[in-house]
């Protein structure tokens, strides 16, 4: 739970790389990331429009045999939307 909170804190601070670092460190610490862990990482992608990384997270969720939910898919799609808005304007 505290690592999920750390990922969320990184997301709120616009620290996507640190959020991914925490997510990766869970595996090294023999802790299994949960859907909440992945969704927190996806939120950091959403906030920054990092659509490629968002889809990497969805792929990792699938590899971990976790079922993506509406929140996960929404964050991934929103990251694409943010990227388009930044590139082409609102």
């Amino acid at each position: 739970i505290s690592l999920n909170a750390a990922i969320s804190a990184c997301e709120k601070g616009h620290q996507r790389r640190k959020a991914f670092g925490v997510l990766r460190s869970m595996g090294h610490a023999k802790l299994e990331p949960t859907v909440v862990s992945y969704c927190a990482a996806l939120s950091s992608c959403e906030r920054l429009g990092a659509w490629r990384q968002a889809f990497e997270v969805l792929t990792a969720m699938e590899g971990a045999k976790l079922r993506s939910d509406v929140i996960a898919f929404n964050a991934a799609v929103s990251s694409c939307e943010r990227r388009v808005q930044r590139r082409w304007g609102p």
Side-chain angles (χ1 to χ4, degrees):
I1 294 174
S2 60
L3 290 175
N4 291 345
I7 295 170
S8 292
C10 292
E11 176 261 322
K12 287 175 180 45
H14 302 271
Q15 300 292 320
R16 179 179 43 89
R17 287 190 175 105
K18 288 184 181 181
F20 280 102
V22 173
L23 186 63
R24 278 192 297 277
S25 73
M26 291 176 82
H28 298 342
K30 306 255 193 269
L31 299 171
E32 293 293 324
T34 65
V35 171
V36 173
S37 309
Y38 285 107
C39 284
L42 280 165
S43 291
S44 70
C45 295
E46 176 185 12
R47 185 179 291 259
L48 299 171
W51 66 272
R52 285 186 179 110
Q53 290 84 3
F55 286 97
E56 288 174 13
V57 172
L58 286 176
T59 301
M61 286 179 77
E62 184 179 326
K65 306 284 191 263
L66 293 173
R67 181 179 238 177
S68 300
D69 60 7
V70 172
I71 295 168
F73 286 120
N74 188 43
V77 170
S78 292
S79 69
C80 296
E81 179 184 24
R82 294 246 176 166
R83 175 66 177 164
V84 169
Q85 285 176 348
R86 285 188 177 162
R87 185 169 184 172
W88 302 105

